[in-house]
Amino acid sequence: MRLSVFTQPWFDDGNIVLITTSDPTAFRVHRGVLARHSEVFESMFLVPQPTEAVETYDGCQVVRMWDSPLELANLIIALYDGAKFSNEKLEDFYHVAGILRLATKYFISKLRLEAIEYLTQTWSYTLKGHDDMVEAALRAPLVDGLSYPWVHPLHVLNLAKEANVRIIIPSAVYFLSLYTLEDLLRGDHPKLTKVEHPSRPSSVLSPSDIKDYTMMFQKRLDLILDFVRSFCGTRTPSTSCSRVQACTQEFKRLTSRLSRSWVTRTGPLHYMSQAVSDLMVNSRGPCDACRRAFVQDVTALREKTWNELPSLLGLPSWEEMIAMELHG
């Protein structure tokens, strides 16, 4: 059998050789390093192997691997040198995806946790993290023709399902609901097709996820309409208002502006923040007491909306998922 040998990782003093079955590639590593980090490898090496049945390569025992050479190489490098994650282009997400996938498969808890923590920096479990992601998306220039965060939320969702990482699912589905179902079923968005990569997750929206997508899509539109028609449209001045009639008219004008400014792809959480900004920068707006009350109420509404996202998808609360997946 002809083998490709990666320049790295190949350690001359290694005592075991991992060989991938697809595009056969050899990696010479140290048994103790694998066993130290991986429960699967630790258990595997505890089982005695009959001498006559042991396959060898370059004088070392061979272990056959069913993983892609690139993913396995990245995993081994991360075990020896530590994981290095970044978010400058689409391929960076695929790098994280490959490490998360194999860290989950081989029960490498430290690397799995590091990958999950890195993903939550973009696909956040906090409202502030969500806001930071949206602001970054609005400011960041295109990279290779793709907008920040470069990766499509469908790839994030499918990776989360594959690796059983629930804490990033609500954020992924929320942003997924900004796309039309027709676009998702067609699966031809550049973020889904532009880069071929062995770690690229599935680009297919599963039947079970169509239900979650539909629930989030409808919830998102309901939130916008309720915010415009009820929260703003029926708003009355603060009990401390100094000019009731003028402030009542200002809230009516705000409602009118909001009703004309949203589209099907509007995100309600950012939309609510924009309403606050609109009111605060308007020199002819409501009095200070009415402004403060409005900001306080919108802040509470956004927090309530954010906290309800997991239950909409049948998931545990943010606090429960943090405890299980980040502190477990």
Side-chain angles (χ1 to χ4, degrees):
M1 177 180 60
R2 185 177 181 181
L3 293 175
S4 301
V5 178
F6 273 33
T7 304
Q8 292 291 339
W10 179 272
F11 301 97
D12 291 335
D13 63 343
N15 55 10
I16 195 165
V17 174
L18 309 180
I19 300 180
T20 59
T21 54
S22 62
D23 186 18
T25 306
F27 305 93
R28 185 169 179 171
V29 295
H30 301 87
R31 177 194 299 255
V33 172
L34 299 183
R36 178 185 178 187
H37 292 283
S38 165
E39 296 180 33
V40 172
F41 281 111
E42 182 183 28
S43 300
M44 181 191 306
F45 296 148
L46 287 175
V47 179
Q49 299 293 323
T51 305
E52 64 276 8
V54 173
E55 180 184 4
T56 62
Y57 179 82
D58 202 27
C60 300
Q61 179 185 349
V62 166
V63 174
R64 296 284 174 173
M65 308 293 290
W66 295 87
D67 310 300
S68 83
L70 179 60
E71 284 193 351
L72 187 57
N74 288 336
L75 179 76
I76 296 169
I77 291 170
L79 289 178
Y80 278 85
D81 300 337
K84 295 180 176 63
F85 300 136
S86 61
N87 188 23
E88 298 178 0
K89 56 185 182 303
L90 179 56
E91 289 87 341
D92 292 336
F93 169 77
Y94 295 150
H95 175 76
V96 181
I99 288 181
L100 175 60
R101 184 178 290 116
L102 293 194
T104 301
K105 177 180 179 179
Y106 294 114
F107 286 73
I108 305 174
S109 56
K110 182 174 182 294
L111 270 185
R112 173 179 160 85
L113 178 59
E114 289 178 5
I116 294 173
E117 288 177 336
Y118 190 80
L119 288 172
T120 61
Q121 291 180 25
T122 302
W123 310 92
S124 184
Y125 53 87
T126 69
L127 181 55
K128 181 182 184 305
H130 165 86
D131 291 343
D132 290 345
M133 190 267 221
V134 172
E135 288 303 316
L138 293 173
R139 294 192 311 268
L142 297 179
V143 172
D144 296 331
L146 304 178
S147 60
Y148 183 91
W150 333 128
V151 60
H152 197 288
L154 180 55
H155 279 170
V156 179
L157 175 61
N158 283 334
L159 173 65
K161 292 297 184 72
E162 180 184 355
N164 192 28
V165 181
R166 295 178 295 178
I167 199 167
I168 62 176
I169 289 177
S171 180
V173 177
Y174 177 87
F175 284 104
L176 190 69
S177 75
L178 302 181
Y179 295 82
T180 67
L181 182 58
E182 180 183 5
D183 289 343
L184 296 177
L185 295 178
R186 196 165 54 242
D188 58 356
H189 193 283
K191 289 184 178 181
L192 296 174
T193 62
K194 189 178 183 70
V195 177
E196 287 287 345
H197 196 283
S199 298
R200 189 176 73 181
S202 169
S203 298
V204 176
L205 184 64
S206 71
S208 61
D209 291 332
I210 289 178
K211 175 186 174 182
D212 287 345
Y213 160 85
T214 304
M215 294 286 290
M216 186 67 78
F217 189 96
Q218 186 62 55
K219 178 67 172 179
R220 188 170 54 79
L221 297 186
D222 288 345
L223 285 167
I224 294 172
L225 293 174
D226 288 345
F227 180 69
V228 174
R229 296 172 179 173
S230 301
F231 187 90
C232 296
T234 63
R235 189 169 186 84
T236 57
S238 164
T239 55
S240 303
C241 179
S242 58
R243 43 194 181 91
V244 173
Q245 185 174 357
C247 288
T248 299
Q249 290 301 314
E250 286 303 323
F251 283 120
K252 288 183 178 179
R253 292 190 186 97
L254 173 65
T255 301
S256 178
R257 291 194 298 273
L258 290 174
S259 66
R260 298 191 306 269
S261 64
W262 72 277
V263 295
T264 306
R265 291 199 61 181
T266 295
L269 291 166
H270 182 63
Y271 186 65
M272 294 175 193
S273 293
Q274 288 179 305
V276 170
S277 298
D278 182 306
L279 203 67
M280 298 304 286
V281 301
N282 186 355
S283 59
R284 295 178 55 250
C287 68
D288 289 343
C290 286
R291 289 176 194 257
R292 287 193 299 270
F294 184 74
V295 171
Q296 182 178 351
D297 291 346
V298 170
T299 299
L301 177 61
R302 294 181 77 244
E303 288 285 354
K304 178 177 181 292
T305 298
W306 181 258
N307 290 333
E308 290 175 349
L309 291 186
S311 62
L312 180 67
L313 305 176
L315 295 171
S317 68
W318 289 119
E319 291 75 15
E320 291 174 292
M321 289 192 287
I322 290 169
M324 289 184 288
E325 299 189 0
L326 297 181
H327 301 154

